[in-house]
Amino acid sequence: MTLNTEEMKRQKRTMSIVVIYQIVVILLSVALNIFVFEVHPFVVTLPSNELFQTLIIATVLLVLNHTWLMTATELTRARFKMYSTPEEWLASGTNREDATKKGISELERHHSTHQNTTENVVYYVLLALIFVFSSPPIIVATVWLVGFAVARLGYTYSYLYGKDNARGLFMSLSLLAMYGLASYLVMSLII
């Protein structure tokens, strides 16, 4: 398939937006850390009780998000009589080919939501573990740590229920929180 000139321009514009979007979110996180939050020099310390409580709240929210995704996926399998293993398909007396297009589409939506969340949480966890030992102010920790978890809940809701504009917003907020953690750490090393 060849693209006409107008399609090529549209594709190039879309690709530029994707690159610029990441840069804007990173710069926004840096600006927030500089102009709204006070970046403290990096000092390794044991986290305070308040900081651990903030991390616990964020972690519990992420566990609830995981539970929601897991449960929603299994409910979708049950609703559309779909199974996860060849043994389950065999025991049910049905085949994958018996699954409806709607069921396959809904299950793919759940899998994509789960995969995206897992991909983002891996980097968040690495940053959060370093961050809590860097003696950040509690307000910064609350915004970036809890903000990420709340944004992931919003992302899950909007993805599962097909709310694309909200999904984009919550994805941006979760990236902002993750970049907020990363940029805070980098800036704390150089001040």
Side-chain angles (χ1 to χ4, degrees):
M1 177 174 115
T2 58
L3 299 176
N4 66 35
T5 306
E6 198 56 42
E7 289 170 336
M8 287 173 55
K9 285 180 184 177
R10 191 172 29 250
Q11 183 181 35
K12 193 172 186 175
R13 189 172 43 248
T14 300
M15 292 169 67
S16 295
I17 289 169
V18 168
V19 171
I20 291 168
Y21 163 79
Q22 299 298 324
I23 293 168
V24 168
V25 175
I26 291 168
L27 290 176
L28 182 57
S29 75
V30 169
L32 286 168
N33 277 325
I34 291 172
F35 298 113
V36 177
F37 305 126
E38 184 181 346
V39 179
H40 293 223
F42 188 87
V43 177
V44 177
T45 61
L46 289 176
S48 67
N49 282 343
E50 279 182 314
L51 195 51
F52 258 125
Q53 290 166 358
T54 302
L55 185 60
I56 289 167
I57 290 167
T59 304
V60 167
L61 290 173
L62 290 172
V63 168
L64 290 172
N65 190 56
H66 175 76
T67 302
W68 181 9
L69 284 167
M70 183 176 60
T71 303
T73 301
E74 289 309 310
L75 289 173
T76 298
R77 284 186 203 282
R79 186 173 77 205
F80 291 102
K81 297 181 176 109
M82 296 170 45
Y83 305 94
S84 60
T85 66
E87 297 79 18
E88 290 174 345
W89 281 102
L90 185 63
S92 73
T94 60
N95 297 307
R96 287 180 191 266
E97 295 77 33
D98 297 332
T100 66
K101 286 185 180 185
K102 172 103 171 116
I104 292 169
S105 175
E106 286 302 307
L107 191 58
E108 285 175 353
R109 174 187 298 275
H110 287 73
H111 285 166
S112 293
T113 308
H114 208 140
Q115 180 179 353
N116 182 279
T117 297
T118 302
E119 291 167 353
N120 281 273
V121 168
V122 167
Y123 296 105
Y124 166 81
V125 166
L126 292 172
L127 288 167
L129 287 175
I130 298 167
F131 184 76
V132 297
F133 287 97
S134 71
S135 64
I138 193 67
I139 187 66
V140 179
T142 301
V143 169
W144 294 144
L145 294 173
V146 176
F148 178 85
V150 169
R152 292 314 306 182
L153 284 165
Y155 181 85
T156 294
Y157 168 79
S158 54
Y159 205 147
L160 292 181
Y161 293 98
K163 313 269 187 214
D164 279 348
N165 290 335
R167 181 173 65 97
L169 171 67
F170 287 117
M171 185 62 187
S172 296
L173 291 173
S174 65
L175 284 174
L176 180 65
M178 194 161 32
Y179 292 148
L181 290 171
S183 64
Y184 184 93
L185 288 168
V186 170
M187 287 187 292
S188 74
L189 290 173
I190 59 177
I191 62 167

